[in-house]
Amino acid sequence: MATLADSFLQDLEDLEEEHDDGEEPAAAKKKSKGKGQKGLLDGGDDSDDDIPDAIAVFEQGEKSGSSSVSEMLKNEEFQKLMDEVRERKDEQPALELGKQLSEEDTEYPLITRCNSLVREIDEEMLNIHRFVRDIYSKKFPELESIVVSPLDYLQVVQRIGNTKDLTTIDFSDILPNTAVMAITVTASMTAGNILPRQELDKMMVACDEAFLLNDCKRDVLLYLESRMSGLAPNLSALLGAALAAKLITSAGGLLNLARMPAQNIMLVGSTKKALLGMATSAYHTQGIIMFSDLILSTPLEFRNRAVKLVAGKCGLAARVDSFHESPLGQVGTQLREKILQSLAKAQEPPPAKQKKTLPPPEDKPRAKRGGKRHRRIKEKYGQTEFKKLVNRVKFGVDAEENIYTEDWGLGIPFFEGKPMVNKAQKVSKEKQLQQHIKAQKRQRSAAAAGNESGLSSSLAFTPVQGIELANPNAARKAPDVGEKYFSTSAGFVNLSTPMRL
């Protein structure tokens, strides 16, 4: 991009050339000394309008958008390389069956140059993104944190421009709905200012150049994709030609990819992806191999395992291709089958528990333990004769109720068809009723007797009359005259306290 100093130097060089070509004698100039000096500078013309103003020329060039931001698009070598790539993009390589591209082929240097060219185009696009971001941050500084991808950022900036109401602009083909909502809400609260026309035009030119570089990158990738079957057949069989071309160019070539460990291959070409909404982190980094069909078709809970498997097998396939072995891609096909089998096995449900049958009992006679100790244990835990009689039940005979056998856990035991009851436990109902009546009488007499407490009552419950009101003092005998002081139950009374000596 031309600066103000460069424009001044160019103007001075133009003036010197005009002075050398159209120099005339000083006598032919105007009489005025000042006008004569001006005439020497402008080559004989006495008008001041013919002298170009460097500042005006620079501002006019900036306004017209003639200044370019990208230096790569001005490079003739880059243009020639792109023309050659576009010519050979649709051509198929003339390779014999079972052969692979080697360093001796005439097209191999072009493929190697294209691998590095993709990275150079990416760097140039990042420079343009920084240039546009520095200018547009005056109007919408929050846009950088919402849209992280450089190409998406440039597309959004080109559509917004100086527009204030973003609800009239459609971003659905560029960004997800969450990002569109975030941009709309943030733009309504931003503190940015409207850009001048000069800076806005410069920014739009930079966006167009970035899109042009992206088209060039796409052409280079299409060319490399058409040559992947000859350059890296096993890696193409594993990932596909398009993804293999992107992976090789991001790694800087097939040899660099073959030297990488698997944990580095997972991060090749990683880009930041904005996570909006309820995400725990603001960004998520993912490499190129995340776009493989092997990983995208795997459920989320097994995706980390799939990434590790694909990254490891990509390193193996790249090493096979770097040694020019298996030109038909058989190793890549086998590696792909192994990945699919491993993922399918990991997703299988665990086997159900099988019910194991008990082993058959051993019917062989064997020696049993005997002796005094064994006989005592057998008598202690053995079944008694009483339990044997309890277990004997006659079927077809109605049982009689017996409340004394409920503790055994059985309904009604029978011994030869008749219930057997202990004589000590056989009590008639009449005796139980008599004992109950005697107990109630004892309670009533105790309530009516001498020592009264706060819990005693004159009400008594009888089985015949129900509630009976009794006077506890009626049956009490009147005390004699001397009973109070001379009673055998009376104690000593101290009439006075003893005197202290």
Side-chain angles (χ1 to χ4, degrees), residues 90-173:
D90 299 329
E91 297 178 0
Q92 293 296 330
L95 291 176
E96 297 181 4
L97 185 62
K99 288 190 177 182
Q100 192 175 349
L101 281 174
S102 60
E103 291 80 358
E104 291 80 11
D105 295 330
T106 56
E107 201 172 358
Y108 191 83
L110 178 60
I111 296 175
T112 307
R113 180 70 182 92
C114 288
N115 290 330
S116 59
L117 181 63
V118 173
R119 303 186 68 179
E120 294 175 3
I121 293 175
D122 289 336
E123 292 176 359
E124 188 70 16
M125 291 176 63
L126 288 177
N127 293 333
I128 296 176
H129 170 255
R130 296 190 194 99
F131 175 77
V132 174
R133 182 190 60 191
D134 294 340
I135 296 177
Y136 204 69
S137 60
K138 302 175 184 177
K139 182 184 183 302
F140 198 173
E142 298 85 1
L143 183 61
E144 179 187 358
S145 60
I146 300 174
V147 183
V148 184
S149 176
L151 193 61
D152 294 341
Y153 181 86
L154 296 176
Q155 291 179 346
V156 172
V157 166
Q158 192 177 41
R159 291 194 183 185
I160 296 176
N162 275 333
T163 308
K164 294 182 179 180
D165 187 11
L166 300 188
T167 57
T168 59
I169 304 176
D170 184 20
F171 299 106
S172 60
D173 57 334

Coordinates of all heavy atoms in Angstrom, one line a residue, residues 90-173:
D90 N -7.9 -29.8 -14.0 CA -8.9 -30.8 -14.5 C -8.2 -31.9 -15.3 O -8.8 -32.8 -15.8 CB -9.8 -30.1 -15.5 CG -10.7 -29.0 -14.8 OD1 -10.9 -29.2 -13.6 OD2 -11.0 -28.0 -15.4
E91 N -6.9 -31.9 -15.4 CA -6.1 -32.9 -16.0 C -5.9 -34.1 -15.1 O -5.7 -33.9 -13.9 CB -4.8 -32.4 -16.6 CG -5.0 -31.3 -17.7 CD -3.6 -30.8 -18.1 OE1 -2.6 -31.3 -17.6 OE2 -3.6 -29.9 -19.0
Q92 N -5.8 -35.3 -15.6 CA -5.5 -36.5 -14.8 C -4.0 -36.8 -15.0 O -3.5 -36.8 -16.1 CB -6.4 -37.7 -15.2 CG -7.9 -37.5 -14.9 CD -8.1 -37.4 -13.4 OE1 -7.4 -37.9 -12.6 NE2 -9.1 -36.6 -13.0
P93 N -3.3 -37.2 -13.9 CA -1.9 -37.5 -14.1 C -1.7 -38.8 -14.9 O -2.5 -39.8 -14.7 CB -1.4 -37.7 -12.6 CG -2.7 -38.1 -11.8 CD -3.8 -37.3 -12.5
A94 N -0.7 -38.8 -15.7 CA -0.4 -40.0 -16.6 C 0.5 -40.9 -15.8 O 1.7 -40.9 -15.9 CB 0.2 -39.5 -17.9
L95 N -0.1 -41.7 -14.9 CA 0.6 -42.7 -14.1 C 0.3 -44.1 -14.6 O -0.9 -44.4 -14.8 CB 0.3 -42.5 -12.6 CG 0.8 -41.2 -12.0 CD1 0.4 -41.1 -10.6 CD2 2.4 -41.1 -12.1
E96 N 1.3 -44.9 -14.6 CA 1.0 -46.3 -14.8 C 0.3 -47.0 -13.6 O 0.5 -46.5 -12.5 CB 2.3 -47.1 -15.2 CG 3.0 -46.5 -16.5 CD 4.2 -47.3 -16.8 OE1 4.5 -48.2 -16.0 OE2 4.9 -46.9 -17.7
L97 N -0.4 -48.1 -13.9 CA -1.1 -48.8 -12.8 C 0.0 -49.4 -11.8 O 0.9 -50.0 -12.2 CB -1.9 -49.9 -13.4 CG -2.8 -50.6 -12.4 CD1 -3.8 -49.7 -11.7 CD2 -3.5 -51.8 -13.1
G98 N -0.3 -49.1 -10.5 CA 0.6 -49.6 -9.5 C 1.8 -48.7 -9.3 O 2.8 -49.2 -8.6
K99 N 1.9 -47.5 -9.8 CA 3.0 -46.6 -9.5 C 2.5 -45.4 -8.8 O 1.4 -45.0 -8.8 CB 3.7 -46.2 -10.9 CG 4.5 -47.3 -11.5 CD 5.3 -46.8 -12.7 CE 6.2 -47.9 -13.3 NZ 7.0 -47.4 -14.4
Q100 N 3.5 -44.7 -8.1 CA 3.2 -43.6 -7.3 C 4.1 -42.4 -7.7 O 5.2 -42.6 -8.3 CB 3.4 -43.9 -5.8 CG 2.9 -42.9 -4.8 CD 3.1 -43.4 -3.4 OE1 3.4 -44.6 -3.2 NE2 2.9 -42.5 -2.5
L101 N 3.6 -41.2 -7.5 CA 4.4 -40.0 -7.8 C 5.7 -40.0 -7.0 O 5.7 -40.2 -5.8 CB 3.6 -38.7 -7.5 CG 2.6 -38.3 -8.6 CD1 1.8 -37.1 -8.1 CD2 3.2 -38.0 -9.9
S102 N 6.8 -39.7 -7.7 CA 8.1 -39.6 -7.0 C 8.8 -38.3 -7.3 O 8.2 -37.5 -8.0 CB 9.0 -40.8 -7.5 OG 9.2 -40.7 -8.9
E103 N 10.0 -38.1 -6.7 CA 10.7 -36.8 -6.9 C 11.1 -36.6 -8.3 O 11.4 -35.5 -8.7 CB 11.9 -36.8 -6.0 CG 11.5 -36.7 -4.5 CD 11.1 -38.0 -3.9 OE1 11.1 -39.0 -4.6 OE2 10.8 -38.1 -2.7
E104 N 11.2 -37.7 -9.1 CA 11.7 -37.5 -10.5 C 10.7 -37.0 -11.5 O 11.0 -36.6 -12.6 CB 12.3 -38.9 -11.0 CG 13.6 -39.3 -10.4 CD 13.3 -40.0 -9.0 OE1 12.1 -40.2 -8.7 OE2 14.3 -40.2 -8.3
D105 N 9.4 -37.1 -11.1 CA 8.3 -36.6 -12.0 C 8.4 -35.1 -12.1 O 8.8 -34.4 -11.2 CB 7.0 -37.0 -11.4 CG 6.8 -38.5 -11.4 OD1 7.4 -39.2 -12.3 OD2 6.1 -39.1 -10.5
T106 N 8.0 -34.6 -13.3 CA 8.0 -33.2 -13.6 C 6.9 -32.4 -12.8 O 7.1 -31.2 -12.5 CB 7.8 -33.0 -15.1 OG1 6.5 -33.6 -15.5 CG2 8.9 -33.6 -15.9
E107 N 5.9 -33.1 -12.4 CA 4.8 -32.4 -11.7 C 5.0 -32.4 -10.2 O 4.3 -31.7 -9.4 CB 3.5 -33.1 -12.0 CG 2.3 -32.3 -11.7 CD 1.0 -32.9 -12.2 OE1 1.1 -34.0 -12.8 OE2 -0.1 -32.3 -12.1
Y108 N 6.0 -33.2 -9.7 CA 6.2 -33.2 -8.2 C 6.6 -31.9 -7.6 O 6.2 -31.6 -6.5 CB 7.3 -34.3 -7.9 CG 7.4 -34.7 -6.5 CD1 6.5 -35.6 -5.9 CD2 8.4 -34.1 -5.7 CE1 6.6 -35.9 -4.5 CE2 8.5 -34.4 -4.3 CZ 7.6 -35.3 -3.8 OH 7.7 -35.6 -2.4
P109 N 7.5 -31.1 -8.3 CA 7.9 -29.8 -7.7 C 6.7 -28.9 -7.6 O 6.6 -28.1 -6.6 CB 8.9 -29.2 -8.7 CG 9.5 -30.4 -9.3 CD 8.4 -31.4 -9.4
L110 N 5.7 -28.9 -8.5 CA 4.5 -28.1 -8.5 C 3.7 -28.5 -7.3 O 3.1 -27.7 -6.6 CB 3.7 -28.2 -9.8 CG 2.4 -27.4 -9.8 CD1 2.7 -25.9 -9.7 CD2 1.7 -27.7 -11.1
I111 N 3.5 -29.8 -7.0 CA 2.8 -30.3 -5.9 C 3.4 -29.8 -4.6 O 2.7 -29.4 -3.6 CB 2.6 -31.8 -5.9 CG1 1.8 -32.2 -7.2 CG2 1.9 -32.3 -4.7 CD1 1.7 -33.7 -7.4
T112 N 4.7 -29.9 -4.5 CA 5.4 -29.5 -3.3 C 5.2 -28.0 -3.1 O 5.1 -27.5 -1.9 CB 6.9 -29.9 -3.4 OG1 7.0 -31.2 -3.7 CG2 7.6 -29.6 -2.1
R113 N 5.3 -27.2 -4.2 CA 5.1 -25.8 -4.0 C 3.7 -25.4 -3.6 O 3.5 -24.5 -2.8 CB 5.4 -25.1 -5.4 CG 5.2 -23.6 -5.4 CD 6.3 -22.9 -4.6 NE 6.2 -21.5 -4.5 CZ 5.5 -20.9 -3.6 NH1 4.9 -21.6 -2.6 NH2 5.4 -19.6 -3.6
C114 N 2.7 -26.2 -4.1 CA 1.3 -26.0 -3.7 C 1.1 -26.2 -2.2 O 0.3 -25.6 -1.6 CB 0.4 -26.8 -4.6 SG 0.3 -26.3 -6.3
N115 N 1.8 -27.2 -1.7 CA 1.7 -27.5 -0.2 C 2.0 -26.3 0.6 O 1.4 -26.0 1.6 CB 2.5 -28.7 0.1 CG 2.0 -30.0 -0.4 OD1 0.8 -30.1 -0.6 ND2 2.8 -31.0 -0.7
S116 N 3.1 -25.6 0.2 CA 3.5 -24.5 1.0 C 2.7 -23.2 0.6 O 2.6 -22.3 1.4 CB 5.0 -24.2 0.8 OG 5.3 -24.0 -0.6
L117 N 2.2 -23.2 -0.6 CA 1.4 -22.1 -1.1 C 0.1 -21.9 -0.3 O -0.3 -20.8 0.0 CB 1.1 -22.2 -2.6 CG 0.3 -21.1 -3.2 CD1 1.1 -19.8 -3.1 CD2 0.0 -21.4 -4.7
V118 N -0.5 -23.0 0.1 CA -1.7 -22.9 0.9 C -1.5 -22.3 2.2 O -2.3 -21.4 2.7 CB -2.3 -24.4 1.1 CG1 -3.5 -24.3 2.0 CG2 -2.7 -24.9 -0.3
R119 N -0.4 -22.6 2.9 CA -0.1 -21.9 4.1 C 0.2 -20.5 3.9 O -0.2 -19.6 4.8 CB 1.1 -22.6 4.8 CG 0.9 -24.1 5.0 CD 2.0 -24.7 5.8 NE 2.1 -24.3 7.1 CZ 3.0 -24.7 8.0 NH1 3.9 -25.6 7.7 NH2 2.9 -24.2 9.3
E120 N 0.9 -20.1 2.8 CA 1.1 -18.7 2.6 C -0.2 -17.9 2.3 O -0.3 -16.8 2.8 CB 2.1 -18.5 1.4 CG 3.5 -19.1 1.6 CD 4.3 -19.0 0.4 OE1 3.8 -18.5 -0.7 OE2 5.5 -19.5 0.4
I121 N -1.1 -18.5 1.6 CA -2.4 -17.9 1.4 C -3.1 -17.7 2.8 O -3.7 -16.6 3.0 CB -3.2 -18.7 0.4 CG1 -2.6 -18.6 -1.0 CG2 -4.7 -18.1 0.4 CD1 -3.3 -19.5 -2.0
D122 N -3.1 -18.7 3.6 CA -3.7 -18.5 4.9 C -3.1 -17.4 5.7 O -3.8 -16.6 6.4 CB -3.6 -19.8 5.7 CG -4.5 -20.9 5.1 OD1 -5.5 -20.6 4.5 OD2 -4.1 -22.1 5.3
E123 N -1.8 -17.3 5.7 CA -1.1 -16.2 6.4 C -1.5 -14.8 5.8 O -1.7 -13.8 6.6 CB 0.4 -16.3 6.4 CG 0.9 -17.5 7.1 CD 2.4 -17.7 7.0 OE1 3.0 -16.9 6.3 OE2 2.9 -18.7 7.6
E124 N -1.6 -14.7 4.5 CA -2.0 -13.4 3.9 C -3.5 -13.1 4.3 O -3.8 -11.9 4.5 CB -1.9 -13.6 2.4 CG -2.1 -12.2 1.6 CD -1.0 -11.3 1.9 OE1 0.1 -11.7 2.4 OE2 -1.2 -10.1 1.6
M125 N -4.3 -14.1 4.3 CA -5.7 -13.8 4.7 C -5.8 -13.4 6.2 O -6.6 -12.6 6.6 CB -6.6 -15.1 4.5 CG -6.8 -15.4 3.1 SD -7.7 -17.0 2.8 CE -9.2 -16.6 3.6
L126 N -4.9 -13.9 7.1 CA -4.9 -13.5 8.4 C -4.4 -12.0 8.6 O -4.9 -11.3 9.4 CB -4.0 -14.4 9.3 CG -4.5 -15.8 9.6 CD1 -3.5 -16.6 10.3 CD2 -5.8 -15.7 10.4
N127 N -3.5 -11.6 7.7 CA -3.0 -10.3 7.7 C -4.2 -9.3 7.3 O -4.3 -8.2 7.9 CB -1.8 -10.1 6.8 CG -0.6 -10.8 7.3 OD1 -0.5 -11.0 8.5 ND2 0.3 -11.2 6.4
I128 N -4.9 -9.7 6.3 CA -6.0 -8.9 5.8 C -7.1 -8.8 6.9 O -7.7 -7.8 7.2 CB -6.6 -9.4 4.5 CG1 -5.6 -9.3 3.4 CG2 -7.9 -8.7 4.1 CD1 -6.0 -10.0 2.1
H129 N -7.3 -9.9 7.6 CA -8.3 -10.0 8.7 C -7.9 -9.0 9.8 O -8.7 -8.3 10.4 CB -8.4 -11.4 9.3 CG -9.2 -11.5 10.5 ND1 -8.6 -11.7 11.8 CD2 -10.5 -11.4 10.8 CE1 -9.5 -11.7 12.7 NE2 -10.7 -11.6 12.2
R130 N -6.6 -8.9 10.2 CA -6.1 -8.0 11.2 C -6.3 -6.6 10.7 O -6.7 -5.7 11.5 CB -4.6 -8.2 11.5 CG -4.4 -9.6 12.1 CD -2.9 -9.7 12.6 NE -2.6 -11.1 12.9 CZ -1.9 -11.8 12.2 NH1 -1.5 -11.4 11.0 NH2 -1.6 -13.1 12.5
F131 N -6.0 -6.3 9.4 CA -6.2 -5.0 8.9 C -7.7 -4.5 9.0 O -8.0 -3.4 9.4 CB -5.7 -4.9 7.4 CG -5.9 -3.6 6.7 CD1 -5.1 -2.6 6.9 CD2 -7.0 -3.5 5.8 CE1 -5.3 -1.4 6.3 CE2 -7.2 -2.3 5.1 CZ -6.3 -1.2 5.4
V132 N -8.6 -5.4 8.6 CA -10.0 -5.0 8.6 C -10.5 -4.9 10.1 O -11.3 -4.0 10.4 CB -10.8 -6.1 7.8 CG1 -12.3 -5.8 8.0 CG2 -10.4 -6.1 6.4
R133 N -10.0 -5.8 10.9 CA -10.4 -5.7 12.3 C -10.0 -4.4 13.0 O -10.7 -3.8 13.8 CB -9.8 -6.9 13.1 CG -10.2 -7.0 14.5 CD -9.3 -8.1 15.2 NE -7.9 -7.7 15.1 CZ -6.9 -8.6 15.4 NH1 -7.2 -9.8 15.8 NH2 -5.6 -8.2 15.3
D134 N -8.8 -3.9 12.7 CA -8.3 -2.7 13.3 C -9.2 -1.5 12.9 O -9.4 -0.6 13.7 CB -6.9 -2.4 12.9 CG -5.9 -3.5 13.5 OD1 -6.3 -4.1 14.5 OD2 -4.8 -3.7 13.0
I135 N -9.7 -1.6 11.6 CA -10.5 -0.4 11.2 C -11.9 -0.6 11.7 O -12.5 0.4 12.2 CB -10.5 -0.4 9.6 CG1 -9.1 -0.1 9.1 CG2 -11.5 0.6 9.1 CD1 -9.0 -0.1 7.6
Y136 N -12.5 -1.8 11.7 CA -13.9 -1.9 12.0 C -14.1 -2.0 13.5 O -15.3 -1.9 14.0 CB -14.5 -3.2 11.4 CG -15.9 -3.2 11.2 CD1 -16.5 -2.4 10.3 CD2 -16.8 -4.0 12.0 CE1 -17.9 -2.3 10.1 CE2 -18.2 -4.0 11.8 CZ -18.7 -3.1 10.8 OH -20.1 -3.1 10.7
S137 N -13.1 -2.1 14.3 CA -13.2 -2.1 15.8 C -13.7 -0.7 16.2 O -14.2 -0.6 17.4 CB -11.9 -2.4 16.4 OG -10.9 -1.5 16.1
K138 N -13.5 0.3 15.4 CA -14.0 1.7 15.8 C -15.6 1.7 15.8 O -16.2 2.5 16.5 CB -13.5 2.7 14.8 CG -12.0 2.8 14.8 CD -11.5 3.8 13.7 CE -10.0 3.8 13.6 NZ -9.5 4.7 12.5
K139 N -16.2 0.9 14.9 CA -17.6 0.9 14.8 C -18.3 -0.2 15.7 O -19.3 0.0 16.4 CB -18.1 0.7 13.4 CG -19.6 0.8 13.2 CD -20.0 0.5 11.8 CE -21.6 0.6 11.7 NZ -22.3 -0.3 12.6
F140 N -17.7 -1.4 15.6 CA -18.3 -2.6 16.3 C -17.2 -3.4 16.9 O -16.7 -4.4 16.4 CB -19.0 -3.5 15.3 CG -20.0 -4.4 15.9 CD1 -20.9 -5.1 15.1 CD2 -20.1 -4.6 17.3 CE1 -21.8 -6.0 15.6 CE2 -21.0 -5.4 17.8 CZ -21.9 -6.2 17.0
P141 N -16.7 -3.0 18.1 CA -15.5 -3.7 18.7 C -15.9 -5.0 19.3 O -15.0 -5.9 19.4 CB -15.1 -2.7 19.8 CG -16.3 -1.9 20.2 CD -17.1 -1.8 18.9
E142 N -17.1 -5.3 19.6 CA -17.5 -6.6 20.2 C -17.7 -7.7 19.1 O -17.8 -8.9 19.5 CB -18.8 -6.5 20.9 CG -18.8 -5.5 22.1 CD -19.1 -4.1 21.7 OE1 -19.3 -3.9 20.5 OE2 -19.1 -3.2 22.5
L143 N -17.6 -7.4 17.8 CA -17.8 -8.4 16.8 C -16.7 -9.4 16.8 O -16.9 -10.6 16.4 CB -18.0 -7.7 15.4 CG -18.3 -8.6 14.2 CD1 -19.6 -9.3 14.4 CD2 -18.3 -7.8 12.9
E144 N -15.5 -9.0 17.1 CA -14.4 -9.9 17.1 C -14.5 -11.1 18.1 O -14.1 -12.2 17.8 CB -13.1 -9.1 17.4 CG -11.8 -10.0 17.4 CD -10.6 -9.2 17.9 OE1 -10.8 -8.0 18.2 OE2 -9.5 -9.8 18.0
S145 N -15.1 -10.8 19.2 CA -15.3 -11.9 20.2 C -16.4 -12.8 19.9 O -16.5 -13.9 20.4 CB -15.5 -11.3 21.6 OG -16.6 -10.5 21.6
I146 N -17.4 -12.4 19.0 CA -18.5 -13.2 18.7 C -18.2 -14.1 17.5 O -18.5 -15.3 17.5 CB -19.8 -12.3 18.4 CG1 -20.1 -11.5 19.7 CG2 -21.0 -13.1 18.0 CD1 -21.2 -10.5 19.4
V147 N -17.6 -13.5 16.5 CA -17.3 -14.2 15.2 C -15.7 -14.4 15.2 O -15.0 -13.4 15.1 CB -17.7 -13.5 14.0 CG1 -17.4 -14.3 12.7 CG2 -19.2 -13.1 14.0
V148 N -15.3 -15.6 15.4 CA -13.9 -15.9 15.6 C -13.2 -16.2 14.3 O -12.0 -15.8 14.0 CB -13.7 -17.0 16.6 CG1 -12.2 -17.3 16.8 CG2 -14.4 -16.7 17.9
S149 N -13.9 -16.9 13.4 CA -13.3 -17.3 12.1 C -13.0 -16.1 11.2 O -13.9 -15.2 11.1 CB -14.3 -18.2 11.3 OG -13.8 -18.6 10.1
P150 N -11.8 -16.0 10.7 CA -11.4 -14.8 9.9 C -12.3 -14.6 8.7 O -12.7 -13.5 8.4 CB -10.0 -15.0 9.5 CG -9.4 -16.0 10.5 CD -10.6 -16.9 10.9
L151 N -12.6 -15.7 7.9 CA -13.4 -15.5 6.7 C -14.8 -15.1 7.1 O -15.4 -14.3 6.4 CB -13.3 -16.8 5.9 CG -13.8 -16.8 4.5 CD1 -13.0 -15.8 3.7 CD2 -13.8 -18.1 3.9
D152 N -15.4 -15.7 8.1 CA -16.7 -15.4 8.5 C -16.8 -13.9 9.0 O -17.8 -13.2 8.7 CB -17.2 -16.3 9.6 CG -17.4 -17.7 9.1 OD1 -17.5 -17.9 7.9 OD2 -17.5 -18.6 9.9
Y153 N -15.7 -13.5 9.7 CA -15.7 -12.1 10.2 C -15.7 -11.1 9.0 O -16.4 -10.1 9.0 CB -14.4 -11.9 11.0 CG -14.3 -10.5 11.6 CD1 -14.9 -10.2 12.8 CD2 -13.5 -9.6 10.9 CE1 -14.7 -8.9 13.3 CE2 -13.4 -8.3 11.5 CZ -14.0 -8.0 12.7 OH -13.8 -6.7 13.2
L154 N -14.9 -11.4 8.0 CA -14.9 -10.5 6.8 C -16.2 -10.5 6.1 O -16.7 -9.4 5.6 CB -13.8 -11.0 5.8 CG -12.3 -10.9 6.4 CD1 -11.4 -11.4 5.4 CD2 -12.0 -9.4 6.8
Q155 N -16.9 -11.6 6.0 CA -18.2 -11.7 5.3 C -19.2 -10.9 6.1 O -20.0 -10.1 5.5 CB -18.7 -13.1 5.2 CG -17.9 -13.9 4.1 CD -18.4 -15.3 4.0 OE1 -19.1 -15.8 4.9 NE2 -17.9 -16.0 3.0
V156 N -19.2 -11.0 7.4 CA -20.2 -10.2 8.3 C -19.9 -8.7 8.1 O -20.8 -7.9 8.0 CB -20.1 -10.7 9.7 CG1 -20.9 -9.8 10.6 CG2 -20.6 -12.1 9.8
V157 N -18.6 -8.4 8.2 CA -18.3 -6.9 8.1 C -18.7 -6.3 6.7 O -19.2 -5.2 6.7 CB -16.7 -6.8 8.3 CG1 -16.3 -5.4 7.9 CG2 -16.4 -7.0 9.8
Q158 N -18.5 -7.1 5.7 CA -18.9 -6.6 4.4 C -20.4 -6.4 4.3 O -20.9 -5.5 3.6 CB -18.4 -7.6 3.3 CG -18.5 -7.0 1.9 CD -17.9 -8.0 0.8 OE1 -18.1 -9.2 0.9 NE2 -17.2 -7.5 -0.1
R159 N -21.2 -7.3 4.9 CA -22.6 -7.1 4.9 C -23.1 -6.0 5.8 O -24.1 -5.3 5.4 CB -23.3 -8.4 5.3 CG -23.1 -9.6 4.3 CD -24.0 -10.7 4.5 NE -23.8 -11.8 3.6 CZ -24.5 -12.9 3.5 NH1 -25.5 -13.1 4.4 NH2 -24.3 -13.9 2.7
I160 N -22.5 -5.8 6.9 CA -23.0 -4.8 7.8 C -22.6 -3.4 7.3 O -23.4 -2.5 7.1 CB -22.4 -5.0 9.2 CG1 -22.9 -6.3 9.8 CG2 -22.8 -3.8 10.1 CD1 -22.4 -6.7 11.2
G161 N -21.3 -3.2 7.1 CA -20.9 -1.8 6.7 C -21.1 -0.8 7.7 O -20.7 -1.0 8.9
N162 N -21.8 0.3 7.4 CA -22.2 1.3 8.3 C -23.7 1.2 8.8 O -24.3 2.2 9.3 CB -22.0 2.7 7.8 CG -20.5 3.1 8.0 OD1 -19.9 2.7 8.9 ND2 -20.0 4.0 7.1
T163 N -24.3 0.0 8.5 CA -25.7 -0.1 8.8 C -25.9 -0.2 10.4 O -25.1 -0.8 11.1 CB -26.3 -1.4 8.2 OG1 -26.0 -1.4 6.8 CG2 -27.8 -1.5 8.4
K164 N -26.9 0.5 10.8 CA -27.2 0.6 12.3 C -28.2 -0.5 12.7 O -28.0 -1.1 13.7 CB -27.7 1.9 12.7 CG -26.7 3.1 12.5 CD -27.4 4.4 13.0 CE -26.3 5.5 12.8 NZ -26.9 6.8 13.2
D165 N -29.2 -0.7 11.9 CA -30.2 -1.7 12.2 C -29.8 -3.0 11.6 O -30.0 -3.2 10.3 CB -31.6 -1.2 11.7 CG -32.7 -2.2 12.2 OD1 -32.4 -3.0 13.1 OD2 -33.8 -2.0 11.7
L166 N -29.4 -4.0 12.4 CA -28.9 -5.3 11.8 C -30.0 -6.3 11.7 O -29.8 -7.4 11.2 CB -27.8 -5.9 12.8 CG -26.6 -5.0 13.0 CD1 -25.5 -5.8 13.7 CD2 -26.0 -4.6 11.6
T167 N -31.2 -5.9 12.1 CA -32.4 -6.9 11.9 C -32.8 -7.0 10.5 O -33.4 -8.0 10.1 CB -33.5 -6.4 12.8 OG1 -33.9 -5.0 12.4 CG2 -33.2 -6.4 14.2
T168 N -32.4 -6.1 9.7 CA -32.7 -6.1 8.2 C -31.7 -6.9 7.4 O -31.9 -7.1 6.2 CB -32.8 -4.7 7.7 OG1 -31.5 -4.0 7.8 CG2 -33.9 -3.9 8.4
I169 N -30.6 -7.4 8.0 CA -29.6 -8.1 7.3 C -29.7 -9.6 7.6 O -29.9 -10.0 8.8 CB -28.2 -7.6 7.7 CG1 -28.1 -6.1 7.5 CG2 -27.1 -8.3 6.9 CD1 -26.8 -5.5 7.9
D170 N -29.5 -10.4 6.6 CA -29.7 -11.9 6.8 C -28.3 -12.5 6.9 O -27.5 -12.4 6.0 CB -30.4 -12.5 5.6 CG -30.6 -14.0 5.8 OD1 -30.6 -14.4 6.9 OD2 -30.9 -14.6 4.8
F171 N -28.0 -13.1 8.0 CA -26.7 -13.8 8.3 C -26.9 -15.3 8.4 O -26.0 -16.0 8.8 CB -26.1 -13.3 9.6 CG -25.7 -11.9 9.6 CD1 -26.5 -11.0 10.4 CD2 -24.7 -11.4 8.9 CE1 -26.2 -9.7 10.4 CE2 -24.4 -10.0 8.9 CZ -25.2 -9.2 9.7
S172 N -28.1 -15.8 8.0 CA -28.4 -17.3 8.2 C -27.5 -18.2 7.4 O -27.2 -19.3 7.8 CB -29.8 -17.6 7.9 OG -30.1 -17.2 6.6
D173 N -27.0 -17.7 6.2 CA -26.1 -18.6 5.4 C -24.7 -18.5 5.8 O -23.8 -19.3 5.3 CB -26.2 -18.1 3.9 CG -25.9 -16.7 3.7 OD1 -26.0 -15.9 4.7 OD2 -25.5 -16.3 2.6

